[in-house]
Amino acid sequence: MCSPCLLQSFFARPTLEVARGLLGMRLVRSLNGARLSGWIVETEAYIGETDLACHARAGKTPRTAVMYGPPGRAYIYFTYGMHWLLNAVTEAEGFPAAVLLRAIQSVEGLEEMSARRAGVPPARWTDGPGKLCRALGLDGQQNGINLCDPSGELYIEAGPGVPDNEVLIGPRVGIQSTPEPWRSTPWRFRTQIRPGCGINED
DNA sequence: AGCACGATTAACT
DNA sequence: GTTAATCGTGCTC
């Protein structure tokens, strides 16, 4: 049931490798004694100050400080006046980069997720970066948390992964005003949900 | 101090 | 396909 937690060395690698490698790993949220989890099925890489789609383009600020810190931490920020988004910090400490977790296939804690996604069909509970934070009860309070600590309230466990022939790669979404070449750079990774292994099936 | 905008979502026409 | 919701952040004055 519980697999080993990913080590910090998993995150202390090139961000594209981490973004690809996180597909098929399990995001786990410990909330009020309950265990909520899901398979990671979509990610995006944001890499350094030269990546004009990355928040670190503005340099180190109070908001982006976590990205400059040690790898394996959660970078959670607020946007559009209403949504929280979850990232995993990558690369060596001092280099600002992270992987945005865009979607998970929920597996455990379905009752708790349902309560936070009232009126929404199960297949739509966690199929967007803002949605999964809402379903898992994540906000700024978890910013900076160590994702490699299985005794904490948010961490990532090893999973079966996803074979190359099931990985789709394309441009990142939601960065329409970002100039080229960043707008079209294929740093988005996704895979199909796993039939029979969760509830996000259409 | 003021302003434009956003790594989105849901509810419209 | 279009648009409102809603506020922290970073930039300009």
Side-chain angles (χ1 to χ4, degrees), chain A residues 58 61 63-64 78 80-82:
Chain A
T61 66
R63 179 172 69 150
T64 63
F78 186 65
Y80 291 105
M82 65 189 83

PDB file of all heavy atoms in Angstrom, chain A residues 58 61 63-64 78 80-82, chain C residues 4-11:
ATOM      1  N   ALA A  58      11.911  36.876 -12.671  1.00  0.00           N
ATOM      2  CA  ALA A  58      11.997  38.135 -11.927  1.00  0.00           C
ATOM      3  C   ALA A  58      13.090  38.092 -10.871  1.00  0.00           C
ATOM      4  O   ALA A  58      13.252  39.038 -10.111  1.00  0.00           O
ATOM      5  CB  ALA A  58      10.652  38.430 -11.268  1.00  0.00           C
ATOM      6  N   THR A  61      12.733  36.637  -5.143  1.00  0.00           N
ATOM      7  CA  THR A  61      11.817  37.527  -4.434  1.00  0.00           C
ATOM      8  C   THR A  61      11.208  36.700  -3.302  1.00  0.00           C
ATOM      9  O   THR A  61      11.424  35.495  -3.224  1.00  0.00           O
ATOM     10  CB  THR A  61      10.691  38.010  -5.363  1.00  0.00           C
ATOM     11  OG1 THR A  61       9.875  36.881  -5.717  1.00  0.00           O
ATOM     12  CG2 THR A  61      11.235  38.651  -6.633  1.00  0.00           C
ATOM     13  N   ARG A  63       8.327  35.591  -3.029  1.00  0.00           N
ATOM     14  CA  ARG A  63       7.519  34.511  -3.575  1.00  0.00           C
ATOM     15  C   ARG A  63       8.366  33.377  -4.148  1.00  0.00           C
ATOM     16  O   ARG A  63       8.069  32.202  -3.946  1.00  0.00           O
ATOM     17  CB  ARG A  63       6.581  35.033  -4.675  1.00  0.00           C
ATOM     18  CG  ARG A  63       5.736  33.924  -5.290  1.00  0.00           C
ATOM     19  CD  ARG A  63       4.661  34.421  -6.242  1.00  0.00           C
ATOM     20  NE  ARG A  63       5.189  34.973  -7.468  1.00  0.00           N
ATOM     21  CZ  ARG A  63       4.551  34.940  -8.641  1.00  0.00           C
ATOM     22  NH1 ARG A  63       3.362  34.376  -8.714  1.00  0.00           N
ATOM     23  NH2 ARG A  63       5.066  35.483  -9.708  1.00  0.00           N
ATOM     24  N   THR A  64       9.404  33.729  -4.893  1.00  0.00           N
ATOM     25  CA  THR A  64      10.177  32.703  -5.604  1.00  0.00           C
ATOM     26  C   THR A  64      11.314  32.101  -4.775  1.00  0.00           C
ATOM     27  O   THR A  64      12.019  31.218  -5.260  1.00  0.00           O
ATOM     28  CB  THR A  64      10.787  33.283  -6.891  1.00  0.00           C
ATOM     29  OG1 THR A  64      11.716  34.319  -6.549  1.00  0.00           O
ATOM     30  CG2 THR A  64       9.715  33.846  -7.797  1.00  0.00           C
ATOM     31  N   PHE A  78      -0.203  31.329  -5.349  1.00  0.00           N
ATOM     32  CA  PHE A  78      -1.594  31.744  -5.552  1.00  0.00           C
ATOM     33  C   PHE A  78      -1.698  32.543  -6.853  1.00  0.00           C
ATOM     34  O   PHE A  78      -0.857  33.397  -7.126  1.00  0.00           O
ATOM     35  CB  PHE A  78      -1.999  32.621  -4.367  1.00  0.00           C
ATOM     36  CG  PHE A  78      -3.432  33.025  -4.319  1.00  0.00           C
ATOM     37  CD1 PHE A  78      -4.429  32.076  -4.136  1.00  0.00           C
ATOM     38  CD2 PHE A  78      -3.796  34.360  -4.420  1.00  0.00           C
ATOM     39  CE1 PHE A  78      -5.760  32.453  -4.063  1.00  0.00           C
ATOM     40  CE2 PHE A  78      -5.123  34.742  -4.348  1.00  0.00           C
ATOM     41  CZ  PHE A  78      -6.112  33.786  -4.164  1.00  0.00           C
ATOM     42  N   TYR A  80      -4.492  34.135 -10.221  1.00  0.00           N
ATOM     43  CA  TYR A  80      -5.824  34.493 -10.706  1.00  0.00           C
ATOM     44  C   TYR A  80      -6.769  34.849  -9.569  1.00  0.00           C
ATOM     45  O   TYR A  80      -7.992  34.738  -9.720  1.00  0.00           O
ATOM     46  CB  TYR A  80      -6.422  33.375 -11.558  1.00  0.00           C
ATOM     47  CG  TYR A  80      -5.713  33.211 -12.883  1.00  0.00           C
ATOM     48  CD1 TYR A  80      -4.839  32.162 -13.110  1.00  0.00           C
ATOM     49  CD2 TYR A  80      -5.908  34.147 -13.903  1.00  0.00           C
ATOM     50  CE1 TYR A  80      -4.191  32.023 -14.319  1.00  0.00           C
ATOM     51  CE2 TYR A  80      -5.260  34.018 -15.110  1.00  0.00           C
ATOM     52  CZ  TYR A  80      -4.404  32.956 -15.320  1.00  0.00           C
ATOM     53  OH  TYR A  80      -3.759  32.832 -16.519  1.00  0.00           O
ATOM     54  N   GLY A  81      -6.191  35.259  -8.442  1.00  0.00           N
ATOM     55  CA  GLY A  81      -7.028  35.695  -7.327  1.00  0.00           C
ATOM     56  C   GLY A  81      -7.806  34.613  -6.636  1.00  0.00           C
ATOM     57  O   GLY A  81      -8.586  34.896  -5.724  1.00  0.00           O
ATOM     58  N   MET A  82      -7.605  33.333  -7.035  1.00  0.00           N
ATOM     59  CA  MET A  82      -8.412  32.281  -6.422  1.00  0.00           C
ATOM     60  C   MET A  82      -7.824  30.880  -6.459  1.00  0.00           C
ATOM     61  O   MET A  82      -8.368  29.996  -5.813  1.00  0.00           O
ATOM     62  CB  MET A  82      -9.788  32.248  -7.066  1.00  0.00           C
ATOM     63  CG  MET A  82      -9.760  31.858  -8.528  1.00  0.00           C
ATOM     64  SD  MET A  82     -11.357  32.076  -9.309  1.00  0.00           S
ATOM     65  CE  MET A  82     -11.233  33.846  -9.682  1.00  0.00           C
TER      66      MET A  82
ATOM     67  P    DA C   4     -16.300  39.964 -18.761  1.00  0.00           P
ATOM     68  OP1  DA C   4     -17.060  41.080 -19.346  1.00  0.00           O
ATOM     69  OP2  DA C   4     -14.833  40.023 -18.684  1.00  0.00           O
ATOM     70  O5'  DA C   4     -16.868  39.707 -17.293  1.00  0.00           O
ATOM     71  C5'  DA C   4     -18.077  38.963 -17.128  1.00  0.00           C
ATOM     72  C4'  DA C   4     -18.020  38.177 -15.838  1.00  0.00           C
ATOM     73  O4'  DA C   4     -17.246  36.964 -16.008  1.00  0.00           O
ATOM     74  C3'  DA C   4     -17.385  38.919 -14.660  1.00  0.00           C
ATOM     75  O3'  DA C   4     -18.104  38.602 -13.484  1.00  0.00           O
ATOM     76  C2'  DA C   4     -15.958  38.397 -14.636  1.00  0.00           C
ATOM     77  C1'  DA C   4     -16.126  36.964 -15.129  1.00  0.00           C
ATOM     78  N9   DA C   4     -14.979  36.451 -15.882  1.00  0.00           N
ATOM     79  C8   DA C   4     -14.279  37.093 -16.871  1.00  0.00           C
ATOM     80  N7   DA C   4     -13.325  36.363 -17.396  1.00  0.00           N
ATOM     81  C5   DA C   4     -13.405  35.158 -16.717  1.00  0.00           C
ATOM     82  C6   DA C   4     -12.662  33.959 -16.815  1.00  0.00           C
ATOM     83  N6   DA C   4     -11.657  33.785 -17.667  1.00  0.00           N
ATOM     84  N1   DA C   4     -12.989  32.960 -15.988  1.00  0.00           N
ATOM     85  C2   DA C   4     -14.004  33.138 -15.129  1.00  0.00           C
ATOM     86  N3   DA C   4     -14.774  34.207 -14.950  1.00  0.00           N
ATOM     87  C4   DA C   4     -14.422  35.192 -15.786  1.00  0.00           C
ATOM     88  P    DA C   5     -17.811  39.410 -12.148  1.00  0.00           P
ATOM     89  OP1  DA C   5     -19.105  39.623 -11.471  1.00  0.00           O
ATOM     90  OP2  DA C   5     -16.929  40.546 -12.465  1.00  0.00           O
ATOM     91  O5'  DA C   5     -16.992  38.347 -11.284  1.00  0.00           O
ATOM     92  C5'  DA C   5     -17.516  37.049 -11.110  1.00  0.00           C
ATOM     93  C4'  DA C   5     -16.505  36.187 -10.373  1.00  0.00           C
ATOM     94  O4'  DA C   5     -15.504  35.705 -11.309  1.00  0.00           O
ATOM     95  C3'  DA C   5     -15.755  36.937  -9.270  1.00  0.00           C
ATOM     96  O3'  DA C   5     -15.689  36.131  -8.112  1.00  0.00           O
ATOM     97  C2'  DA C   5     -14.367  37.148  -9.870  1.00  0.00           C
ATOM     98  C1'  DA C   5     -14.213  35.926 -10.766  1.00  0.00           C
ATOM     99  N9   DA C   5     -13.286  36.099 -11.879  1.00  0.00           N
ATOM    100  C8   DA C   5     -13.058  37.237 -12.605  1.00  0.00           C
ATOM    101  N7   DA C   5     -12.167  37.093 -13.548  1.00  0.00           N
ATOM    102  C5   DA C   5     -11.777  35.758 -13.447  1.00  0.00           C
ATOM    103  C6   DA C   5     -10.860  34.984 -14.167  1.00  0.00           C
ATOM    104  N6   DA C   5     -10.131  35.439 -15.172  1.00  0.00           N
ATOM    105  N1   DA C   5     -10.716  33.693 -13.805  1.00  0.00           N
ATOM    106  C2   DA C   5     -11.456  33.223 -12.788  1.00  0.00           C
ATOM    107  N3   DA C   5     -12.343  33.865 -12.040  1.00  0.00           N
ATOM    108  C4   DA C   5     -12.461  35.139 -12.426  1.00  0.00           C
ATOM    109  P    DT C   6     -15.613  36.859  -6.699  1.00  0.00           P
ATOM    110  OP1  DT C   6     -16.093  35.895  -5.680  1.00  0.00           O
ATOM    111  OP2  DT C   6     -16.255  38.189  -6.821  1.00  0.00           O
ATOM    112  O5'  DT C   6     -14.053  37.084  -6.514  1.00  0.00           O
ATOM    113  C5'  DT C   6     -13.232  35.945  -6.332  1.00  0.00           C
ATOM    114  C4'  DT C   6     -11.781  36.389  -6.229  1.00  0.00           C
ATOM    115  O4'  DT C   6     -11.244  36.629  -7.551  1.00  0.00           O
ATOM    116  C3'  DT C   6     -11.604  37.709  -5.446  1.00  0.00           C
ATOM    117  O3'  DT C   6     -10.461  37.604  -4.626  1.00  0.00           O
ATOM    118  C2'  DT C   6     -11.385  38.749  -6.540  1.00  0.00           C
ATOM    119  C1'  DT C   6     -10.623  37.923  -7.557  1.00  0.00           C
ATOM    120  N1   DT C   6     -10.655  38.418  -8.962  1.00  0.00           N
ATOM    121  C2   DT C   6     -10.040  37.645  -9.927  1.00  0.00           C
ATOM    122  O2   DT C   6      -9.489  36.593  -9.682  1.00  0.00           O
ATOM    123  N3   DT C   6     -10.069  38.166 -11.191  1.00  0.00           N
ATOM    124  C4   DT C   6     -10.653  39.365 -11.575  1.00  0.00           C
ATOM    125  O4   DT C   6     -10.606  39.733 -12.740  1.00  0.00           O
ATOM    126  C5   DT C   6     -11.287  40.121 -10.504  1.00  0.00           C
ATOM    127  C7   DT C   6     -11.947  41.414 -10.806  1.00  0.00           C
ATOM    128  C6   DT C   6     -11.251  39.608  -9.274  1.00  0.00           C
ATOM    129  P    DC C   7     -10.477  38.500  -3.240  1.00  0.00           P
ATOM    130  OP1  DC C   7     -10.942  37.648  -2.123  1.00  0.00           O
ATOM    131  OP2  DC C   7     -11.101  39.801  -3.501  1.00  0.00           O
ATOM    132  O5'  DC C   7      -8.921  38.722  -3.080  1.00  0.00           O
ATOM    133  C5'  DC C   7      -8.057  37.596  -2.994  1.00  0.00           C
ATOM    134  C4'  DC C   7      -6.688  37.996  -3.511  1.00  0.00           C
ATOM    135  O4'  DC C   7      -6.716  38.107  -4.948  1.00  0.00           O
ATOM    136  C3'  DC C   7      -6.198  39.360  -3.004  1.00  0.00           C
ATOM    137  O3'  DC C   7      -4.794  39.283  -2.797  1.00  0.00           O
ATOM    138  C2'  DC C   7      -6.452  40.282  -4.191  1.00  0.00           C
ATOM    139  C1'  DC C   7      -6.081  39.317  -5.304  1.00  0.00           C
ATOM    140  N1   DC C   7      -6.518  39.706  -6.660  1.00  0.00           N
ATOM    141  C2   DC C   7      -5.772  39.243  -7.751  1.00  0.00           C
ATOM    142  O2   DC C   7      -4.783  38.522  -7.556  1.00  0.00           O
ATOM    143  N3   DC C   7      -6.140  39.601  -9.005  1.00  0.00           N
ATOM    144  C4   DC C   7      -7.219  40.372  -9.178  1.00  0.00           C
ATOM    145  N4   DC C   7      -7.531  40.686 -10.430  1.00  0.00           N
ATOM    146  C5   DC C   7      -7.990  40.850  -8.080  1.00  0.00           C
ATOM    147  C6   DC C   7      -7.607  40.498  -6.846  1.00  0.00           C
ATOM    148  P    DG C   8      -4.185  39.225  -1.350  1.00  0.00           P
ATOM    149  OP1  DG C   8      -4.945  38.258  -0.556  1.00  0.00           O
ATOM    150  OP2  DG C   8      -4.056  40.626  -0.927  1.00  0.00           O
ATOM    151  O5'  DG C   8      -2.716  38.628  -1.580  1.00  0.00           O
ATOM    152  C5'  DG C   8      -2.604  37.302  -2.045  1.00  0.00           C
ATOM    153  C4'  DG C   8      -1.445  37.171  -3.003  1.00  0.00           C
ATOM    154  O4'  DG C   8      -1.802  37.696  -4.314  1.00  0.00           O
ATOM    155  C3'  DG C   8      -0.178  37.896  -2.603  1.00  0.00           C
ATOM    156  O3'  DG C   8       0.914  37.071  -2.966  1.00  0.00           O
ATOM    157  C2'  DG C   8      -0.220  39.189  -3.424  1.00  0.00           C
ATOM    158  C1'  DG C   8      -0.928  38.745  -4.695  1.00  0.00           C
ATOM    159  N9   DG C   8      -1.755  39.754  -5.355  1.00  0.00           N
ATOM    160  C8   DG C   8      -2.672  40.588  -4.758  1.00  0.00           C
ATOM    161  N7   DG C   8      -3.322  41.345  -5.619  1.00  0.00           N
ATOM    162  C5   DG C   8      -2.796  40.986  -6.847  1.00  0.00           C
ATOM    163  C6   DG C   8      -3.103  41.464  -8.150  1.00  0.00           C
ATOM    164  O6   DG C   8      -3.927  42.311  -8.482  1.00  0.00           O
ATOM    165  N1   DG C   8      -2.337  40.843  -9.130  1.00  0.00           N
ATOM    166  C2   DG C   8      -1.387  39.877  -8.881  1.00  0.00           C
ATOM    167  N2   DG C   8      -0.741  39.396  -9.942  1.00  0.00           N
ATOM    168  N3   DG C   8      -1.085  39.422  -7.670  1.00  0.00           N
ATOM    169  C4   DG C   8      -1.828  40.016  -6.703  1.00  0.00           C
ATOM    170  P    DT C   9       2.391  37.389  -2.531  1.00  0.00           P
ATOM    171  OP1  DT C   9       3.015  36.103  -2.221  1.00  0.00           O
ATOM    172  OP2  DT C   9       2.360  38.478  -1.533  1.00  0.00           O
ATOM    173  O5'  DT C   9       3.071  37.947  -3.855  1.00  0.00           O
ATOM    174  C5'  DT C   9       2.989  37.167  -5.030  1.00  0.00           C
ATOM    175  C4'  DT C   9       3.433  37.968  -6.222  1.00  0.00           C
ATOM    176  O4'  DT C   9       2.402  38.895  -6.613  1.00  0.00           O
ATOM    177  C3'  DT C   9       4.700  38.800  -5.990  1.00  0.00           C
ATOM    178  O3'  DT C   9       5.684  38.341  -6.897  1.00  0.00           O
ATOM    179  C2'  DT C   9       4.269  40.239  -6.276  1.00  0.00           C
ATOM    180  C1'  DT C   9       3.016  40.065  -7.120  1.00  0.00           C
ATOM    181  N1   DT C   9       1.994  41.129  -7.048  1.00  0.00           N
ATOM    182  C2   DT C   9       1.478  41.644  -8.222  1.00  0.00           C
ATOM    183  O2   DT C   9       1.847  41.282  -9.320  1.00  0.00           O
ATOM    184  N3   DT C   9       0.509  42.601  -8.065  1.00  0.00           N
ATOM    185  C4   DT C   9       0.015  43.085  -6.865  1.00  0.00           C
ATOM    186  O4   DT C   9      -0.853  43.945  -6.851  1.00  0.00           O
ATOM    187  C5   DT C   9       0.596  42.508  -5.677  1.00  0.00           C
ATOM    188  C7   DT C   9       0.144  42.971  -4.339  1.00  0.00           C
ATOM    189  C6   DT C   9       1.548  41.562  -5.821  1.00  0.00           C
ATOM    190  P    DG C  10       7.204  38.724  -6.747  1.00  0.00           P
ATOM    191  OP1  DG C  10       8.000  37.549  -7.101  1.00  0.00           O
ATOM    192  OP2  DG C  10       7.368  39.395  -5.443  1.00  0.00           O
ATOM    193  O5'  DG C  10       7.396  39.811  -7.904  1.00  0.00           O
ATOM    194  C5'  DG C  10       7.041  39.453  -9.221  1.00  0.00           C
ATOM    195  C4'  DG C  10       6.977  40.683 -10.100  1.00  0.00           C
ATOM    196  O4'  DG C  10       5.824  41.486  -9.748  1.00  0.00           O
ATOM    197  C3'  DG C  10       8.194  41.617  -9.968  1.00  0.00           C
ATOM    198  O3'  DG C  10       8.503  42.084 -11.265  1.00  0.00           O
ATOM    199  C2'  DG C  10       7.670  42.738  -9.071  1.00  0.00           C
ATOM    200  C1'  DG C  10       6.220  42.823  -9.516  1.00  0.00           C
ATOM    201  N9   DG C  10       5.307  43.415  -8.552  1.00  0.00           N
ATOM    202  C8   DG C  10       5.341  43.299  -7.182  1.00  0.00           C
ATOM    203  N7   DG C  10       4.367  43.938  -6.584  1.00  0.00           N
ATOM    204  C5   DG C  10       3.651  44.510  -7.627  1.00  0.00           C
ATOM    205  C6   DG C  10       2.491  45.319  -7.596  1.00  0.00           C
ATOM    206  O6   DG C  10       1.839  45.703  -6.621  1.00  0.00           O
ATOM    207  N1   DG C  10       2.086  45.693  -8.882  1.00  0.00           N
ATOM    208  C2   DG C  10       2.721  45.315 -10.034  1.00  0.00           C
ATOM    209  N2   DG C  10       2.201  45.764 -11.170  1.00  0.00           N
ATOM    210  N3   DG C  10       3.814  44.558 -10.071  1.00  0.00           N
ATOM    211  C4   DG C  10       4.211  44.194  -8.840  1.00  0.00           C
ATOM    212  P    DC C  11       9.854  42.887 -11.585  1.00  0.00           P
ATOM    213  OP1  DC C  11      10.637  42.111 -12.562  1.00  0.00           O
ATOM    214  OP2  DC C  11      10.461  43.279 -10.291  1.00  0.00           O
ATOM    215  O5'  DC C  11       9.292  44.170 -12.309  1.00  0.00           O
ATOM    216  C5'  DC C  11       8.272  44.021 -13.307  1.00  0.00           C
ATOM    217  C4'  DC C  11       7.597  45.360 -13.545  1.00  0.00           C
ATOM    218  O4'  DC C  11       6.647  45.627 -12.488  1.00  0.00           O
ATOM    219  C3'  DC C  11       8.573  46.537 -13.572  1.00  0.00           C
ATOM    220  O3'  DC C  11       8.335  47.325 -14.714  1.00  0.00           O
ATOM    221  C2'  DC C  11       8.259  47.293 -12.297  1.00  0.00           C
ATOM    222  C1'  DC C  11       6.803  46.961 -12.058  1.00  0.00           C
ATOM    223  N1   DC C  11       6.396  47.056 -10.635  1.00  0.00           N
ATOM    224  C2   DC C  11       5.253  47.767 -10.295  1.00  0.00           C
ATOM    225  O2   DC C  11       4.582  48.303 -11.187  1.00  0.00           O
ATOM    226  N3   DC C  11       4.903  47.865  -8.990  1.00  0.00           N
ATOM    227  C4   DC C  11       5.643  47.273  -8.052  1.00  0.00           C
ATOM    228  N4   DC C  11       5.256  47.398  -6.787  1.00  0.00           N
ATOM    229  C5   DC C  11       6.822  46.550  -8.377  1.00  0.00           C
ATOM    230  C6   DC C  11       7.154  46.456  -9.664  1.00  0.00           C
TER     231       DC C  11
END
